[in-house]
Amino acid sequence: MKGNPEIIMTLNAILSQELAAINQYVVHSAIDANQLYNKLAKKIMHRAQEEMKHADLIIDRILFLEGMPIVSNLAEINIGIDIAAQINNDIKAEQIAINIYNKAIDQAEESLDEGTRKLLSHNLKDEEEHLNYLEGQLSQLTTLGKENFLTEQI
Ligand SMILES: [Fe+2]
Ligand SMILES: [Fe+2]
């Protein structure tokens, strides 16, 4: 089905954000696993896998709309070594994702592209859950302090 070229461009912009998030989260997970914070590493890897599913769905949609998925563009990646930096950087990534998904949903609605709008809303719901979880982690880190927080993550 021939899709609107502007929608395909937006889907590729979302794809670059998803691919950047995957890279960022895989590295954060590896940093934490390397320090034997295995519970934390596992949770971040699970989030990376959800972003992979999003990227996969976006690629499928671009192909369905007869566009070309661009996987060589990455949005900004921000790696944090310290746990607080990791959480803050991941919060930023999720906020950016939520913003572009919301704008893209508006665009899909205006273009009367219900299939794309549905897919975007499905992914957006996950991004909102990711952000909510990360905000919870940040407040736990502040309340418990770094040492206590990390003790729970072994
Ligand atoms: Fe995502
Ligand atoms: Fe996310």
Side-chain angles (χ1 to χ4, degrees), residues 18 51 54 127:
E18 291 289 359
E51 310 300 7
H54 294 165
E127 310 302 11

Side-chain angles (χ1 to χ4, degrees), residues 14 17-18 21 47 50-52 54-55 94 97 101 123 126-127 130:
I14 289 175
Q17 179 60 37
E18 291 289 359
R47 182 155 28 92
E50 291 197 338
E51 310 300 7
M52 282 177 215
H54 294 165
E94 296 296 341
Y101 270 110
N123 287 3
D126 290 342
E127 310 302 11
H130 293 165

Side-chain angles (χ1 to χ4, degrees), residues 39-103:
K39 277 190 197 164
L40 187 59
K42 239 178 147 177
K43 282 177 218 154
I44 302 171
M45 187 53 82
H46 179 72
R47 182 155 28 92
Q49 284 162 351
E50 291 197 338
E51 310 300 7
M52 282 177 215
K53 283 181 208 154
H54 294 165
D56 187 33
L57 289 169
I58 297 289
I59 288 170
D60 283 347
R61 187 70 192 170
I62 292 170
L63 291 172
F64 175 78
L65 298 174
E66 295 177 24
M68 183 57 80
I70 300 165
V71 290
S72 49
N73 286 350
L74 291 181
E76 204 177 302
I77 296 170
N78 292 296
I79 304 300
I81 300 298
D82 183 73
I83 181 61
Q86 286 183 11
I87 295 173
N88 278 309
N89 293 353
D90 290 359
I91 283 176
K92 264 180 226 146
E94 296 296 341
Q95 285 169 337
I96 291 169
I98 287 169
N99 193 352
I100 54 176
Y101 270 110
N102 273 311
K103 283 186 185 157

Side-chain angles (χ1 to χ4, degrees), residues 25 28-33 35-47 83 86-87 133-134 137 149-150 152-154:
Y25 300 165
H28 282 167
S29 176
I31 290 169
D32 298 341
Q35 295 179 322
L36 306 181
Y37 298 121
N38 291 323
K39 277 190 197 164
L40 187 59
K42 239 178 147 177
K43 282 177 218 154
I44 302 171
M45 187 53 82
H46 179 72
R47 182 155 28 92
I83 181 61
Q86 286 183 11
I87 295 173
Y133 185 83
L134 284 159
Q137 269 194 325
F149 177 85
L150 287 175
E152 299 292 317
Q153 303 300 331
I154 293 170

